[in-house]
Amino acid sequence: MPAETSNPVFNNAANEEVQKLPEMGINLSNDQLLKLYGYYKIATGCDITKESAPGMFNIRQKEKWRSWKAKVDEGNTAEQAQEKYIQLVEEYKKGKKSGQ
């Protein structure tokens, strides 16, 4: 589902720039992808309180949910999550690792 927020820079990062990373020879680790996912969910206005946690046997979905919850627990607003997502994509484009 494409990002459709009022922030065109975030929309571009989420809909186009992140898709170009593999074409640039940048393969993101699972941790990097999970960080992006957590910020994306907040940035696009998804409400974790309206989602139930995945079952114990759905490991991949559980990892994604935990990443999202960790970003929520940090107190990120939608605007902050959009900025952090953009920053991560830019860092990844440069081949940097992020500690966020």
Side-chain angles (χ1 to χ4, degrees):
M1 171 177 245
E4 296 180 11
T5 69
S6 61
N7 183 339
V9 178
F10 169 76
N11 294 342
N12 182 59
N15 297 331
E16 295 178 30
E17 295 300 317
V18 78
Q19 303 297 324
K20 293 178 186 175
L21 294 176
E23 297 168 15
M24 298 169 65
I26 301 168
N27 296 312
L28 300 180
S29 70
N30 190 51
D31 287 342
Q32 290 170 318
L33 291 169
L34 288 171
K35 285 178 190 173
L36 287 173
Y37 179 83
Y39 287 129
Y40 180 89
K41 293 294 278 186
I42 296 168
T44 56
C46 296
D47 184 353
I48 199 164
T49 64
K50 294 182 181 177
E51 300 281 333
S52 57
M56 68 191 311
F57 296 110
N58 195 342
I59 295 173
R60 180 70 180 145
Q61 287 304 108
K62 199 159 193 71
E63 286 179 337
K64 290 167 74 174
W65 190 85
R66 284 182 183 146
S67 177
W68 178 18
K69 183 166 182 349
K71 302 300 180 229
V72 168
D73 290 348
E74 290 171 4
N76 289 288
T77 65
E79 292 78 18
Q80 290 169 326
Q82 289 171 2
E83 288 304 314
K84 288 178 181 179
Y85 187 99
I86 293 164
Q87 289 172 354
L88 284 176
V89 170
E90 289 303 313
E91 287 177 18
Y92 296 159
K93 283 171 47 179
K94 294 175 186 171
K96 294 182 181 177
K97 302 286 183 198
S98 174
Q100 290 182 325

